Amino acid sequence: MTTENLRARKTQPDSTSLPKDVQVNGSGASLLARTGHPAGKVKHGTAIQVLRGLLLATWLNACAVTIMTTQVIGSPLYWYNRDYYYAYMALTKQSFGICGTAGTRWFAPTPVRVSWDKDLKGQLWKSPSGRLETAFPERLVYVANHQVYTEWLYLWWIAYTSRMHGHIYIILKESLKYVPVLGPGMMFYGFIFMARKWTSDKPRLQHRLEKLKTRHSGPMSGSAGLDPMWLLIFPEGTNLSANTKKASKRWADKQGIEDLRHCLLPRSTGLFFCLQQLKGTVDWVYDCTMAYEGTPKGGFAPDFFTIRSTYLQGRPPKCVNMHWRRFAVSEIPLEDAKEFEEWLLARWREKDDLLELWYNTGRFPADAESADDKKGVSPEGYIETEITLNNWTEVGQIFVVLATVALLVNVVLKFIGIFVKLS
């Protein structure tokens, strides 16, 4: 669907019909006070919220400590056999994807509605058990608009549906690498930390991207060619909120360009450099447009779907909506930074039109030709499912190495005890 088609499909008044505080200030709090939360009333009282918080923290901390300990146990493989080392770390990365998906399913069960352009026909379907499955390439760069803090979990789950959750790489704020346990764990994963100072970020980013153009044999090395890699980038740099939207508007005014209605203006420098460095090793950029059912037009999803409301109060998004597109790297202008900036802004304006359509109709456009009820695709071309694991026994993967080591240590200590008694 072209941008012109999207603009022609407006079916309701634009944001000027919204309450004045939302038009001017983006005040989700005042709108929430008047209209109520889009996911309904708080489902759990204070005591239950505290209990849920403790249980969630216990689950996440247990997984994080276990995974990092598992990483440390396997780290000597780096000097023994690099192929086994990278395969081992990919398995621990899978474990974190499983941890996040399981935690979301238990504490914030979230329906998902997925649609896609005709270019992705045949790459998404629903299994007989009702789970989303995808057949995206082993190597790609994927981008998305950024609204809520849990988006990276939802996009990691998409990698899980392609069995690529052990090969995801994320560009993050540098401050996150200092978070206890999680920070060192993400460094083992090869995640890329950025200080938002290009002079210091560029050599670091170039070094990491060179690592992503390598080839290892053995387990977890993919079917052929270079190592599997899904590089996740949020070009907006931060999530959408009243404050960041104002900053985006100021930047648009300064540049003399039209601001976006439902997104922040994207930053092109990091993505441009990544695609330049990876050119010839990656064929596609996959683009996901995210929207959260119940978010009012002109409002901001983070005002409604906070960590507390989503995981503790029992008020997750009523539905996470995703629309997928892809672009051939060979057709993206990568010789000139200004041309690329214009290309990326054009894609973000299309994304803005997709969101305008979604706010007006409650649906992203879908490829009706992909409809196949045998593959779980609705007659309109959507797949509706939930964020969940394919098999709950996968949770055991998180703890198997540490449990095995503990068992071996126990056996060795018993043998030592028997030996000491006999001697």
Side-chain angles (χ1 to χ4, degrees):
M1 179 175 288
T2 65
T3 305
E4 290 74 18
N5 293 144
L6 287 169
R7 287 172 175 163
R9 289 187 61 174
K10 293 181 182 179
T11 60
Q12 296 181 8
D14 63 20
S15 59
T16 57
S17 64
L18 290 168
K20 185 176 180 181
D21 62 338
V22 177
Q23 294 177 40
V24 178
N25 301 318
S27 175
S30 58
L31 183 62
L32 177 61
R34 273 198 312 279
T35 63
H37 195 282
K41 295 181 179 180
V42 175
K43 295 181 177 62
H44 307 293
T46 302
I48 298 299
Q49 287 183 46
V50 171
L51 177 61
R52 286 170 64 86
L54 290 172
L55 290 173
L56 179 61
T58 299
W59 167 250
L60 293 177
N61 286 327
C63 289
V65 171
T66 299
I67 292 170
M68 185 185 171
T69 304
T70 301
Q71 291 171 325
V72 172
I73 290 170
S75 58
L77 286 171
Y78 185 84
W79 293 278
Y80 174 71
N81 186 303
R82 297 287 172 87
D83 293 339
Y84 288 127
Y85 170 81
Y86 287 113
Y88 183 93
M89 290 304 164
L91 285 172
T92 69
K93 194 181 292 186
Q94 281 188 351
S95 294
F96 199 86
I98 291 169
C99 165
T101 300
T104 297
R105 181 66 184 89
W106 289 333
F107 293 92
T110 309
V112 183
R113 183 183 299 114
V114 186
S115 61
W116 55 92
D117 281 0
K118 61 182 180 180
D119 195 32
L120 274 70
K121 184 176 181 178
Q123 294 190 20
L124 304 96
W125 65 93
K126 194 188 223 180
S127 71
S129 61
R131 312 291 196 258
L132 176 68
E133 294 188 16
T134 58
F136 293 175
E138 288 185 348
R139 288 183 62 84
L140 59 84
V141 174
Y142 65 133
V143 298
N145 59 311
H146 196 10
Q147 296 200 52
V148 298
Y149 293 111
T150 50
E151 245 142 21
W152 63 274
L153 280 173
Y154 303 149
L155 292 169
W156 202 325
W157 167 74
I158 287 291
Y160 170 83
T161 67
S162 270
R163 311 310 297 169
M164 291 294 296
H165 54 306
H167 302 287
I168 185 172
Y169 296 86
I170 307 176
I171 294 180
L172 303 165
K173 298 177 183 177
E174 186 178 36
S175 58
L176 292 175
K177 75 179 182 181
Y178 302 109
V179 176
V181 182
L182 290 177
M186 290 187 289
M187 294 175 71
F188 272 118
Y189 287 159
F191 285 0
I192 303 169
F193 297 94
M194 304 284 280
R196 295 185 178 177
K197 296 178 181 177
W198 187 237
T199 52
S200 59
D201 286 340
K202 183 178 179 180
R204 183 185 313 166
L205 181 57
Q206 185 168 15
H207 172 74
R208 293 308 312 166
L209 293 174
E210 285 297 322
K211 293 278 189 181
L212 297 181
K213 294 191 289 184
T214 54
R215 166 67 179 164
H216 295 89
S217 58
M220 305 290 290
S221 59
S223 57
L226 298 170
D227 288 346
M229 177 211 73
W230 281 28
L231 178 61
L232 173 59
I233 303 175
F234 293 106
E236 293 170 358
T238 187
N239 67 310
L240 181 68
S241 67
N243 288 334
T244 57
K245 194 72 185 75
K246 290 176 183 176
S248 180
K249 178 65 167 60
R250 287 195 298 269
W251 178 252
D253 293 342
K254 183 178 180 180
Q255 298 299 310
I257 60 176
E258 182 184 356
D259 193 20
L260 302 173
R261 294 157 292 180
H262 312 297
C263 300
L264 303 177
L265 289 171
R267 304 176 181 185
S268 62
T269 303
L271 180 59
F272 178 62
F273 186 75
C274 288
L275 292 179
Q276 275 190 323
Q277 296 297 307
L278 294 173
K279 187 176 181 180
T281 70
V282 173
D283 294 327
W284 299 99
V285 171
Y286 275 63
D287 169 71
C288 183
T289 302
M290 309 279 292
Y292 299 87
E293 187 170 330
T295 305
K297 189 175 182 181
F300 303 101
D303 291 331
F304 303 93
F305 305 115
T306 62
I307 297 296
R308 182 184 178 190
S309 69
T310 298
Y311 285 91
L312 305 185
Q313 294 180 342
R315 300 194 292 181
K318 293 163 66 178
C319 184
V320 175
N321 292 261
M322 298 181 177
H323 182 76
W324 288 90
R325 306 182 293 168
R326 72 174 183 176
F327 305 96
V329 173
S330 60
E331 298 177 3
I332 299 174
L334 295 176
E335 304 303 321
D336 182 83
K338 184 63 178 177
E339 287 184 14
F340 178 79
E341 182 180 2
E342 293 173 354
W343 178 89
L344 182 61
L345 180 57
R347 303 292 77 76
W348 240 248
R349 293 201 185 282
E350 292 168 0
K351 188 184 291 287
D352 203 42
D353 287 332
L354 285 167
L355 286 163
E356 177 72 10
L357 174 66
W358 181 83
Y359 278 112
N360 289 337
T361 67
R363 293 288 188 276
F364 284 127
D367 177 29
E369 294 182 4
S370 295
D372 185 347
D373 59 357
K374 293 181 180 178
K375 290 189 174 182
V377 184
S378 72
E380 297 83 13
Y382 298 95
I383 289 177
E384 296 186 341
T385 184
E386 284 188 295
I387 295 177
T388 188
L389 297 175
N390 293 332
N391 192 317
W392 287 105
T393 60
E394 292 179 275
V395 170
Q397 176 182 322
I398 301 171
F399 306 98
V400 66
V401 171
L402 194 58
T404 301
V405 170
L407 179 62
L408 289 174
V409 169
N410 184 53
V411 170
V412 169
L413 290 176
K414 286 186 177 180
F415 271 109
I416 291 175
I418 292 173
F419 179 77
V420 169
K421 288 181 180 180
L422 291 176
S423 60

